[in-house]
Amino acid sequence: MILKMSKVQIVGPRRYFYDTLSVLHNEGVLHIEDVSKKIAPGETLLRKMKVDDERLEREQLLDKLKQKVDAILRILEPSEISPQESEKYYQAYMGMSCEQIHEEVEKMLTEVEEQTKELAAKKTALETEYATYSRYEGILKKIGPLARNLIALEGYTTVALLVDRKYKKVLDIIREEVGKITKNQYELVSTDVDENTTAALLVFNKIFDEQVNAFLYAEKVNQIRLPEELADKPFNEAYSYMKERIEVLPQEIGKVREELREVSKGWYAKLKTIRDVLEDRCEELRVASFAGETDYTFVIEGWVPSKYLHKLQKELARKIGEKVVLTEVPVSHEELEGAPVVMENPRWAKPFEEIVNMFGTPRYGTIDPTAMLALFYPLFFGFIIGDIGYGLMLLLICYLMRRKWGKIYFVRVATSMLSLAGIMAVFFGFLFGEFFGSLPEWYHWVREVEIFGIHLPFYRIREHNILTYAGIALALGVAHLTLGFVLGVVNAYREKAKGHLLEKVGFLLLILSLFFILGETLKLIPGGGMIFLLLLLGGIALIAAGGGVEGVFHIPTLMSNIFSYIRLMALGVAGVILADVANQLATSFGSIWTGITIAIFLHLINIVFHTFSSTIHSLRLNVLEFFNKFYEPGGRVYKPFKRVGR
Amino acid sequence: MDIGMWKAISAALAVGLAGIGTAIAQARIGSAGAGAIAEKPEVAGQIIVLEALPELIVILGFAVSALIIFTLK
C-alpha cells in the first residue's frame, strides 16, 4: 500500500530556524523540498536561505573531523555496540557545541592513535607482505622446479623468464646473445610449465648485469622481478622463503587483528557514534540551504506521510512553541503526482518491495503491487513445485541460511520470499500427493479421497489429469490477468486517464468474451456465440477508442499472455518427471546405499534447478504479464530528513 | 512404424526444435545482457527476466510434447 502524503509548509521567526530543523531531524518523517526552486525570478520577498559564513566554516570543520574518524574506524576492528551504549554516547555528543565536539574528537583520536599506531602499522605491513607474495605464488610455482636444479653461487645473478611456448625459439637467440655478452659464463635452463608457457632461469656473472638486462629489456622478454627485499637472494632461496611466509602470514595477521580488536573494544562504539553525530550535524547544515527566508521568517516545505502529520505538529509545538507553525498546503492533482512514495506493507509482504523497486518505484496515487506479488509468487511457485519433500527441504535450507548469514540483508529478503514459496510447495504437495516425486503413489502411502467431486490427491502426470492441470494453469492465468486489468481500470480512474480506462475495460470485455465462446463450445451457455461476438466487437471498439491503433495491435498479445501461463504446467510436469527419473535410477542399483546416495544427489540437483527456474518464471509472470496491465513506475523515492544515528 | 514410435518422434521434434530456437534467442540476449550488466550492474534483475523471455518457446514445445505423449491415443 502507498501511504497518503500531505504537503506541509513550516513558517516561523528566523531565530528558531535551526531549532526547528533539529526537531524535524529528530522526528525523521519530513521529505524536504528545495524551496529555492519555487522562487520566481524577480521575487523580492522570499529568497533562498543564506547560511552564514560561521556556520559554513563549522560544517567544513565537522566534515573534516568526520573524514578523520572514518579513517580511524577503517583501521580499528569492528566490535559489537549495544543500542543502550550507542544511545548514551549519541545523546551526550549531540548536546555538545561544535567546539566541544572538535576538542573531544581530537583528544580521542590522539589517544586512539597512540594505542593503535604500532598494531595498525604492523597489520598493514603484514597484509602488504601477504598480498605481494601471493601475487608471486602462481609464477613461483611454475619456476620452482627449475630453481631446485640450480646451485646458488656467490656473485652470480639469477633472472627468471616466462616465454610464450609459441615463441620458444627465442631462448636460442637469448643463449647466443648472452653467451656473447658474458663470454659463455652463463647457464640457462628451461621447461614447459603449461600448455602456453615456457619458464626459463638464466644465471650469469654479476659483472654483466647491466648489459644482460639491457639486452633482455630491448628484446622485450617477460622478466620476473622479485620483491625488492629478496632481490639479492638466489632464486631458490627466495622461492622457499616466500612459500614459507605465505603459509605463516595469515596466522600472524589474525593474531595482530585479535590484538587490535581488544584495543578497539573501548573505542569503537564511541567513535562509531561520534561519526553518526558528525554526519547528522553536517546533514542539518546542508539541508538548511533547501529552506527559504524573508527578512524576518524562514520557510521550509516538504512532504510527510499524512498519518504522521499530527504528531509532527504536536512535537514542533511542544519543543519550539506556538511561534513556529506547520500547516498542510492544498495541492493540485499534478503536484500530487510528484509526491514521494512511501510503501507500507505487512511484514510477510515487505521483502517483495525489493523486487518491485527493481522495476522502479510505483507512482504516487497508483496501486502498490507488493502485496499481490507476495501472494501470487508463492502461489505459482507452489503450483509448479508441488512436492512436500522439496518444500520441506527448501524450508530447511532457508532456516539454515537464516541461522548462518541472518545478518546479511539480501539473505533475509531471499529466505523470507523462499520460505513463503516453500510453504506453498508443501501445500500443493499434499494436493498433488507428491513427496520427492511420485513415491507416495508408487508405494501406496496415501489413500485417495473424493471431496466435492474432486479426487485427491490430484496426480498431475497421470494421462487423464495432465489436460486438467494445463487447464488449471491457464485458468490461473486468466484470473491473474483479469485482476491486472481491473487494477489497471482503478489506476486509470484515479489518474483520470480516460484513454487508458477505455482500453483496460475493452480488454476486460475480451477476456469475458472468451468465457462465452468456451461456454458455447462446451454447450454450457446456449447462444454464447452471439454474446461472444458482441463482447468481442465492443471490446475491440473500446480498445481502439482508448489506445488507438497501437492498442488494437496489442490485442493478440492478450492470447500470448494467457498461453504464457501454460509454463506453470510445463515446469511442474518437468519437475515431477525429473524427480521420478531420480527415483527410478536410484532403485535400479543393487545396493540400497548406492541407490540412496544417487537419489539424494539427483534430488538435490533437481531442487536447486527447479527452485531457480520456478522463481524466475513465477516472478516473470508477475512482472511481465501481470504488472504490464496496471503498474506505473516512475515514482519519487521518499527520503526523509532523519538522523543516521537513530 | 507403430504409433508409439511416431508419438516419440513428434514429441522429440516439438521440444527439440523449440529448444534450439530458445537457445539461439537466449544466447543473443545473454551476451547483450552480460554487456549491459558490466556497464550498469543495477539492471541485473531486468536482464534475468529478459533472459527468461524466450523460454516460453521451449516451454510451449515441452507442453505440446507432454500432451502428445500423455493424451494422444
Side-chain angles (χ1 to χ4, degrees):
Chain A
M1 190 179 76
I2 293 175
L3 285 189
K4 191 173 172 246
M5 300 295 279
S6 299
K7 184 155 192 189
V8 295
Q9 194 172 60
I10 303 158
V11 182
R14 277 176 54 177
R15 65 175 182 280
Y16 292 118
F17 176 64
Y18 286 100
D19 292 336
T20 308
L21 218 49
S22 187
V23 175
L24 295 175
H25 206 183
N26 219 21
E27 290 305 301
V29 287
L30 185 71
H31 175 108
I32 295 184
E33 296 280 17
D34 191 350
V35 174
S36 67
K37 283 186 184 159
K38 280 179 62 181
I39 301 171
E43 163 86 60
T44 49
L45 188 65
L46 183 68
R47 54 187 182 269
K48 187 181 164 90
M49 173 69 73
K50 193 174 178 307
V51 182
D52 56 65
D53 293 344
E54 195 193 328
R55 279 185 196 276
L56 277 177
E57 267 175 37
R58 233 184 276 171
E59 186 186 356
Q60 281 166 358
L61 178 71
L62 292 179
D63 201 46
K64 262 189 202 164
L65 281 179
K66 187 161 76 83
Q67 285 172 20
K68 273 189 178 180
V69 176
D70 271 337
I72 287 283
L73 279 173
R74 273 196 292 273
I75 294 171
L76 296 183
E77 288 293 313
S79 57
E80 291 282 322
I81 314 167
S82 77
Q84 294 83 359
E85 197 183 8
S86 167
E87 181 66 25
K88 191 182 85 190
Y89 291 136
Y90 187 88
Q91 293 305 341
Y93 296 127
M94 206 61 192
M96 287 181 185
S97 70
C98 185
E99 290 70 29
Q100 281 172 317
I101 285 195
H102 184 206
E103 207 177 301
E104 182 74 20
V105 173
E106 288 292 0
K107 206 174 96 192
M108 203 183 286
L109 290 182
T110 319
E111 280 181 53
V112 178
E113 266 179 347
E114 259 175 37
Q115 290 187 22
T116 56
K117 207 172 165 184
E118 210 177 299
L119 282 172
K122 199 172 166 189
K123 186 180 127 188
T124 315
L126 288 174
E127 281 174 348
T128 314
E129 193 184 355
Y130 185 66
T132 313
Y133 294 164
S134 300
R135 271 207 307 275
Y136 281 93
E137 202 180 7
I139 302 166
L140 291 173
K141 262 188 195 153
K142 292 177 182 177
I143 298 286
L146 279 181
R148 278 193 286 275
N149 298 331
L150 286 172
I151 305 156
L153 290 171
E154 198 65 35
Y156 275 76
T157 301
T158 311
V159 173
L161 310 168
L162 285 182
V163 181
D164 199 320
R165 267 179 80 168
K166 277 189 286 186
Y167 308 111
K168 212 171 157 181
K169 282 191 176 159
V170 83
L171 291 176
D172 296 334
I173 303 170
I174 294 173
R175 263 194 198 101
E176 198 178 312
E177 287 301 315
V178 175
K180 277 183 203 164
I181 298 170
T182 60
K183 298 181 185 71
N184 284 331
Q185 291 179 37
Y186 81 99
E187 183 68 56
L188 190 142
V189 283
S190 70
T191 183
D192 296 334
V193 286
D194 59 39
E195 55 187 19
N196 297 319
T197 325
T198 298
L201 281 181
L202 177 64
V203 187
F204 54 90
N205 197 316
K206 247 190 173 73
I207 53 170
F208 302 112
D209 251 11
E210 210 174 300
Q211 291 112 300
V212 174
N213 277 327
F215 161 70
L216 292 173
Y217 180 75
E219 293 302 314
K220 291 181 183 143
V221 180
N222 190 0
Q223 201 181 133
I224 304 157
R225 292 188 187 282
L226 287 174
E228 215 173 304
E229 66 273 18
L230 301 177
D232 291 338
K233 291 198 176 190
F235 209 87
N236 48 353
E237 252 180 59
Y239 172 66
S240 324
Y241 178 77
M242 280 195 255
K243 214 173 142 198
E244 202 179 293
R245 290 298 289 158
I246 286 171
E247 271 167 33
V248 257
L249 276 170
Q251 285 122 35
E252 282 184 28
I253 294 170
K255 231 167 110 187
V256 176
R257 285 180 77 165
E258 201 44 56
E259 282 176 49
L260 205 52
R261 188 170 289 124
E262 275 304 307
V263 181
S264 303
K265 261 182 195 165
W267 297 106
Y268 196 80
K270 269 188 193 174
L271 282 170
K272 184 86 179 50
T273 317
I274 259 195
R275 195 215 162 273
D276 290 345
V277 170
L278 292 169
E279 168 97 39
D280 285 342
R281 306 260 308 224
C282 286
E283 178 70 1
E284 258 176 44
L285 289 166
R286 193 185 62 79
V287 159
S289 61
F290 285 0
E293 64 177 350
T294 64
D295 288 344
Y296 301 103
T297 57
F298 72 83
V299 182
I300 298 170
E301 276 194 1
W303 295 89
V304 61
S306 301
K307 66 177 190 178
Y308 300 129
L309 178 65
H310 189 57
K311 187 172 172 271
L312 188 63
Q313 263 170 335
K314 264 174 60 180
E315 275 308 299
L316 272 174
R318 192 171 70 83
K319 288 183 179 155
I320 312 280
E322 304 287 314
K323 289 195 172 82
V324 173
V325 184
L326 183 148
T327 43
E328 189 176 353
V329 188
V331 280
S332 65
H333 179 72
E334 287 72 29
E335 226 177 331
L336 205 56
E337 275 186 356
V341 173
V342 189
M343 291 197 276
E344 195 176 71
N345 285 294
R347 227 175 120 209
W348 54 272
K350 199 92 188 143
F352 291 88
E353 282 179 6
E354 293 300 323
I355 304 282
V356 172
N357 282 328
M358 263 165 63
F359 298 90
T361 310
R363 279 226 312 271
Y364 185 77
T366 61
I367 289 165
D368 172 13
T370 310
M372 272 160 286
L373 183 64
L375 195 74
F376 284 108
Y377 159 71
L379 180 76
F380 292 160
F381 186 96
F383 189 77
I384 296 171
I385 300 263
D387 189 296
I388 302 168
Y390 282 14
L392 290 176
M393 284 293 286
L394 201 57
L395 288 173
L396 179 71
I397 291 169
C398 286
Y399 170 73
L400 293 176
M401 280 177 74
R402 203 76 191 222
R403 265 189 63 171
K404 181 106 175 118
W405 300 293
K407 280 185 183 164
I408 303 168
Y409 179 68
F410 170 76
V411 173
R412 283 205 307 276
V413 169
T415 50
S416 305
M417 285 168 61
L418 281 175
S419 301
L420 283 178
I423 292 168
M424 287 310 279
V426 173
F427 170 73
F428 276 100
F430 277 107
L431 291 185
F432 298 152
E434 283 171 30
F435 182 82
F436 291 101
S438 305
L439 291 181
E441 191 188 355
W442 293 0
Y443 296 107
H444 308 288
W445 288 343
V446 282
R447 191 161 51 88
E448 287 190 34
V449 286
E450 193 182 327
I451 303 167
F452 303 118
I454 303 165
H455 290 275
L456 286 177
F458 173 79
Y459 296 119
R460 52 183 164 164
I461 55 165
R462 274 193 190 167
E463 274 179 35
H464 54 275
N465 279 349
I466 200 149
L467 269 179
T468 317
Y469 187 45
I472 297 170
L474 290 177
L476 266 175
V478 172
H480 200 214
L481 291 176
T482 307
L483 179 65
F485 281 119
V486 170
L487 297 175
V489 169
V490 175
N491 264 353
Y493 175 75
R494 281 187 186 173
E495 296 216 298
K496 300 184 179 29
K498 203 178 145 197
H500 275 169
L501 185 80
L502 288 175
E503 199 183 349
K504 306 289 176 199
V505 173
F507 274 109
L508 278 174
L509 290 184
L510 288 190
I511 290 180
L512 198 60
S513 74
L514 294 177
F515 282 101
F516 284 95
I517 192 67
L518 196 69
E520 168 84 16
T521 318
L522 299 175
K523 304 205 186 322
L524 291 172
I525 309 171
M530 183 52 79
I531 305 172
F532 159 75
L533 209 61
L534 285 173
L535 287 171
L536 184 72
L537 291 174
I540 293 173
L542 283 178
I543 293 167
V549 184
E550 203 187 322
V552 178
F553 276 125
H554 278 142
I555 293 174
T557 60
L558 176 67
M559 290 315 291
S560 73
N561 279 174
I562 293 173
F563 280 112
S564 187
Y565 285 81
I566 206 155
R567 74 185 62 230
L568 296 176
M569 162 262 184
L571 288 167
V573 170
V576 192
I577 292 174
L578 285 175
D580 285 346
V581 167
N583 293 332
Q584 267 165 352
L585 270 176
T587 48
S588 64
F589 285 91
S591 150
I592 187 169
W593 294 112
T594 317
I596 288 173
T597 315
I598 297 278
I600 289 173
F601 177 68
L602 292 176
H603 278 301
L604 274 178
I605 291 178
N606 201 18
I607 288 171
V608 171
F609 283 108
H610 213 27
T611 301
F612 183 71
S613 66
S614 304
T615 299
I616 293 287
H617 288 282
S618 306
L619 286 178
R620 178 227 134 100
L621 287 175
N622 278 288
V623 169
L624 284 179
E625 273 78 1
F626 183 56
F627 279 17
N628 271 350
K629 308 294 172 280
F630 68 98
Y631 183 54
E632 291 184 35
R636 278 177 74 201
V637 179
Y638 171 68
K639 287 179 184 159
F641 173 52
K642 67 176 193 187
R643 300 192 190 283
V644 288
R646 301 282 54 78
Chain B
M1 275 195 285
D2 69 335
I3 187 80
M5 186 66 85
W6 281 115
K7 271 167 68 174
I9 291 172
S10 320
L13 281 175
V15 76
L17 292 176
I20 292 170
T22 301
I24 293 169
Q26 284 196 325
R28 290 185 181 179
I29 296 172
S31 60
I37 294 170
E39 295 244 333
K40 263 178 112 180
E42 63 271 21
V43 296
Q46 282 106 311
I47 299 293
I48 291 173
V49 173
L50 283 178
E51 184 68 33
L53 265 184
E55 278 181 22
L56 178 64
I57 309 167
V58 71
I59 283 166
L60 288 178
F62 178 79
V64 169
S65 68
L67 292 178
I68 291 170
I69 289 175
F70 288 105
T71 60
L72 269 190
K73 298 285 171 210

